[in-house]
Amino acid sequence: MKLCMVFAVLLGTTSASSGSLQKRPVVHTQSEETSDISTHWNVTYFETYKQVFNTFVNEEYILYQNGTTPPDQGLYPNAKFFEIPLRTVAVEETLSLTFLELLGQRGTVRYVQSPQYVTSGCLRFLINEGSIGALEPAAGIRTTQVSSVDAVITGSQSPDSKSLLSTALFFNKEVEASAMFNATASRYNCHKRAAVGLHTKEVVVWIDRTPTESVISTNAYKKQLTEDAGGVFFGNSVTRFTNQAAFVSTISSADIIIDEDLVQGADIPDLLDFCSKYNLPAPCSDHNQMRGMYTRNIWRTDRLRAINGADDWWESSIAEPDLMLEDLMNAINFRINPSHDRTWLRNVAIDETANFDTAICVDPGAPRVPRADECSEIVPPMSEAPTPFPSESSEAPTPFPSESSTLFPTVAPTPAQSTPPTSLPTLAPTPSLSIAIQVLFNLTFSQLQFDNLPEGFTSDIEIEVAKMAFVSLPDVTVVSLLPGSVIANVAVDFRAEDLQAQAFSAHLREAAVDNANIFTSSFSSAYGVPAISPPPEDIGSCASHILQICGIKANCETSGDACSFLEEQTDAWCGGTCYGSDCCELNDGKAAGFVVGVIVVAIFIVGVCCYGFCKYYRRDSRKPSDVRMGSFDTNSVAERENNFGRNASVGSDYLSDDGSAGV
């Protein structure tokens, strides 16, 4: 018999009879208390059991307490009966594992389908020591495994963070789940309110790749996440493309591109892999048809990997929506919480790589600890509290209490009161003893009035420039604002390499010459496209070259090593320095000449050897044999010389000892 959990659950137990039960203390509750956990889950509490409906799969469950008599099956002819709390389960989808861990039920797991995709350190520990086995696909073995556990939890077509609450019903963990869910909702809403004050809205597109198609996501879950993070969700009437050119053209206006294509194992996709997968023409970094490429906002969701390469995004992100929101807010506008260390999102456009989790499990029996940052209010509370993401309702469930207790009251978190700021705070530059070079330039906003500047204007400039220059936010300062057409004098500090400063300077110069808009569409919509007055002089004679070879970030390799005599310098060289890894290439002319020379020398050597060998052979073959029937010829040297002399005297062709012909 199978159970469904919002996700859909297969059960291994059969309906129990009262005669087979051992009597234990009865858990009393108030009768017939009903609660809607979510759109798809409803529970009614009776004296010793719960009646649960899962409308998503149209199933009814009777969950009776361990040691009590189950209700008459005739009252619930279509229901599946379970003795709770469940003691052992098998799991078909790794997403369900995270909810079990949060509830402290890691020890109930006996089998996991595809254990190679598990990212939890403690679960991997239990798998390695043999406490958790692989749920086999073979029918016979699988039947045996299923019959040995209380339930088999399968995957959901529409999981969300409230799956924690529905899972808790089967373990009598409603109290813990409710407290945990409320804490998650509180953190989520607090972070969400921080994004309300954003003056610019980045357009975010979520994409994926199947073997035959490129896909634009229309997932409502991601739409809410994007909007709560302060972005604009990219929607399109056509979502699946076999024509790659049409796909690229469709998403070209998005400021931020998030690629969810799943890649397991040790392979860590980079920007070149992105371009290859979506058929972008080379050179990849110069493909400016896509705005996200031009502004260096190509993101993947695989920053956190298990040591075996399994992707944690697909296992944990749904269960921790507050952490998902923080990651996306940091990608859209890292000024809100610049100290946040992203868990899943990484920017491949600036060569961010993945982190392999090598954490050691300290206590396999301890509940999993949520990883989101704590949040304090930075804007006044709204008149109406936001709906906790990603749930259909913020109403908390009525838990199944312990004996003689009343129903656990759900207390909504009270937002902290604060005074609204007049604008987002401007972070002063952090003094540094290691500034290598500073780039100064002006931005002229002809559409703005100096006496009527929008709130957060200077902050938004600093954010925009910091992202453009790939520096930390404190390294960008709007030094002054001049009246007339609003002129912002901007300083960017580069702390280590001057290559990046040179590339950024060249980038500004090219944009000024081409009159190009290098700002995000949200910034341009809010303030117009500013005219750029780049630095008065190029920073270094190779600035434009560095920009072309290395891109704006300019984190390429540099070398001054000379090429070999058969090689020539590539276009990566400038001013005696090579910028990049391909510094030398084979000189076809020199290589061809070298090969011809080798062949000529070889022919000459072979010819000389053949000539000398042939002459020696002709001379030696006409001498009398010194070996007869295996014995040594006892003729003296004098006799042989006499014989040679006689032969020579009759005009033989033998040569004399000095090489002259015999007479």
Side-chain angles (χ1 to χ4, degrees):
M1 187 163 57
K2 298 182 178 182
L3 160 79
C4 287
M5 275 191 175
V6 101
F7 4 137
V9 172
L10 311 181
L11 223 274
T13 58
T14 59
S15 55
S17 62
S18 59
S20 63
L21 291 174
Q22 179 181 356
K23 285 292 182 181
R24 296 185 183 180
V26 175
V27 177
H28 297 280
T29 72
Q30 298 177 12
S31 299
E32 301 186 19
E33 293 291 340
T34 301
S35 175
D36 290 323
I37 293 179
S38 68
T39 301
H40 301 298
W41 284 86
N42 175 280
V43 58
T44 301
Y45 289 90
F46 292 90
E47 185 76 12
T48 59
Y49 66 93
K50 315 168 194 177
Q51 180 188 24
V52 179
F53 287 97
N54 181 352
T55 59
F56 188 79
V57 292
N58 195 29
E59 288 190 342
E60 178 185 8
Y61 314 116
I62 299 300
L63 312 181
Y64 62 94
Q65 288 297 299
N66 180 290
T68 67
T69 302
D72 187 353
Q73 286 188 328
L75 298 175
Y76 308 101
N78 298 318
K80 296 178 180 178
F81 281 62
F82 298 94
E83 182 178 340
I84 59 170
L86 298 177
R87 293 158 296 182
T88 56
V89 298
V91 180
E92 287 190 350
E93 189 175 271
T94 54
L95 167 60
S96 307
L97 292 170
T98 305
F99 295 115
L100 292 173
E101 287 191 287
L102 289 170
L103 293 171
Q105 299 303 307
R106 190 183 291 124
T108 65
V109 181
R110 293 293 178 268
Y111 300 102
V112 175
Q113 187 166 292
S114 303
Q116 69 272 21
Y117 297 138
V118 172
T119 61
S120 163
C122 284
L123 285 172
R124 292 201 310 271
F125 171 80
L126 294 174
I127 291 171
N128 291 336
E129 74 165 12
S131 298
I132 299 177
L135 188 59
E136 299 292 342
I141 301 177
R142 192 184 189 91
T143 300
T144 302
Q145 291 175 329
V146 168
S147 64
S148 67
V149 297
D150 295 336
V152 179
I153 304 175
T154 70
S156 170
Q157 295 181 2
S158 61
D160 60 26
S161 60
K162 281 199 168 182
S163 297
L164 177 73
L165 304 175
S166 55
T167 303
L169 292 171
F170 296 84
F171 298 93
N172 287 343
K173 291 291 182 178
E174 289 96 325
V175 171
E176 293 86 344
S178 179
M180 197 178 305
F181 180 82
N182 286 338
T184 299
S186 177
R187 288 190 298 268
Y188 185 95
N189 290 332
C190 177
H191 290 303
K192 173 182 174 178
R193 282 187 282 270
V196 171
L198 296 181
H199 298 281
T200 60
K201 300 289 186 180
E202 304 290 303
V203 178
V204 181
V205 61
W206 297 74
I207 64 174
D208 199 353
R209 178 71 187 166
T210 71
T212 59
E213 294 178 314
S214 295
V215 182
I216 298 174
S217 176
T218 58
N219 187 287
Y221 192 86
K222 295 186 181 70
K223 182 176 186 296
Q224 184 179 352
L225 178 71
T226 301
E227 293 172 350
D228 289 348
V232 176
F233 186 74
F234 184 94
N236 196 66
S237 56
V238 180
T239 60
R240 311 187 78 88
F241 297 81
T242 55
N243 185 311
Q244 289 294 83
F247 171 74
V248 171
S249 176
T250 300
I251 67 172
S252 61
S253 62
D255 296 297
I256 296 175
I257 299 171
I258 301 179
D259 180 17
E260 285 191 290
D261 183 42
L262 177 62
V263 178
Q264 300 277 22
D267 185 27
I268 305 299
D270 57 16
L271 186 61
L272 292 178
D273 294 319
F274 174 85
C275 291
S276 174
K277 177 173 55 180
Y278 293 106
N279 200 28
L280 300 179
C284 178
S285 60
D286 294 337
H287 187 72
N288 295 334
Q289 180 184 353
M290 299 174 69
R291 184 160 192 79
M293 185 75 75
Y294 196 70
T295 60
R296 302 299 194 268
N297 272 300
I298 309 296
W299 298 79
R300 284 188 53 82
T301 57
D302 60 354
R303 190 178 187 215
L304 181 58
R305 298 280 193 98
I307 194 64
N308 63 352
D311 188 347
D312 188 67
W313 170 263
W314 299 98
E315 179 172 327
S316 302
S317 60
I318 297 294
E320 297 188 75
D322 46 353
L323 189 58
M324 289 176 69
L325 183 70
E326 283 192 271
D327 266 23
L328 188 54
M329 288 172 64
N330 186 267
I332 292 176
N333 191 328
F334 64 89
R335 184 177 195 70
I336 299 174
N337 187 5
S339 64
H340 174 67
D341 184 17
R342 281 177 274 106
T343 300
W344 297 297
L345 291 181
R346 66 182 179 98
N347 192 347
V348 297
I350 60 174
D351 303 323
E352 287 185 351
T353 188
N355 297 326
F356 286 87
D357 181 17
T358 58
I360 299 174
C361 178
V362 177
D363 183 2
R368 179 175 179 141
V369 178
R371 295 171 288 184
D373 298 325
E374 292 301 324
C375 179
S376 59
E377 304 288 346
I378 64 172
V379 295
M382 300 179 178
S383 57
E384 181 178 349
T387 301
F389 177 83
S391 308
E392 298 83 358
S393 169
S394 61
E395 182 182 353
T398 303
F400 197 89
S402 59
E403 184 175 2
S404 73
S405 66
T406 59
L407 291 175
F408 182 78
T410 301
V411 180
T414 303
Q417 302 295 319
S418 62
T419 303
T422 56
S423 64
L424 288 177
T426 301
L427 297 181
T430 302
S432 172
L433 300 178
S434 59
I435 295 177
I437 197 166
Q438 187 177 71
V439 175
L440 291 167
F441 61 98
N442 291 335
L443 300 175
T444 302
F445 297 83
S446 59
Q447 300 179 16
L448 300 181
Q449 299 295 323
F450 186 80
D451 296 331
N452 191 28
L453 290 177
E455 291 183 357
F457 174 62
T458 57
S459 299
D460 287 341
I461 292 177
E462 291 171 354
I463 292 169
E464 194 80 2
V465 173
K467 292 171 64 176
M468 187 187 306
F470 299 107
V471 297
S472 300
L473 189 58
D475 293 332
V476 181
T477 307
V478 175
V479 179
S480 63
L481 291 176
L482 303 178
S485 293
V486 178
I487 301 176
N489 182 243
V490 184
V492 183
D493 296 331
F494 294 88
R495 298 177 179 275
E497 291 277 351
D498 66 346
L499 297 182
Q500 189 176 345
Q502 294 182 47
F504 179 62
S505 175
H507 181 57
L508 294 175
R509 286 185 162 275
E510 287 190 4
V513 171
D514 299 337
N515 196 27
N517 178 16
I518 60 176
F519 298 89
T520 60
S521 57
S522 55
F523 183 88
S524 303
S525 298
Y527 305 118
V529 180
I532 301 173
S533 299
E537 296 180 0
D538 246 353
I539 303 174
S541 59
C542 294
S544 297
H545 191 76
I546 294 171
L547 174 66
Q548 180 182 358
I549 300 299
C550 308
I552 298 176
K553 193 183 180 189
N555 61 341
C556 55
E557 301 175 19
T558 58
S559 173
D561 297 337
C563 300
S564 68
F565 78 98
L566 288 179
E567 295 178 320
E568 60 183 356
Q569 294 180 348
T570 64
D571 293 338
W573 287 81
C574 179
T577 302
C578 174
Y579 301 96
S581 56
D582 299 327
C583 298
C584 303
E585 62 185 6
L586 189 65
N587 185 310
D588 294 337
K590 289 182 179 180
F594 178 77
V595 172
V596 170
V598 170
I599 294 174
V600 170
V601 171
I603 292 175
F604 175 77
I605 293 174
V606 171
V608 170
C609 292
C610 288
Y611 178 77
F613 176 77
C614 290
K615 289 207 169 186
Y616 175 82
Y617 178 77
R618 290 176 62 194
R619 181 185 70 177
D620 193 63
S621 63
R622 297 188 182 186
K623 291 182 180 182
S625 175
D626 289 337
V627 181
R628 298 170 184 162
M629 300 299 294
S631 62
F632 185 73
D633 184 3
T634 58
N635 288 341
S636 66
V637 173
E639 288 182 292
R640 288 198 298 273
E641 290 179 347
N642 291 335
N643 290 335
F644 178 75
R646 286 194 297 273
N647 290 334
S649 65
V650 295
S652 76
D653 292 334
Y654 285 123
L655 296 177
S656 63
D657 290 341
D658 63 359
S660 60
V663 179

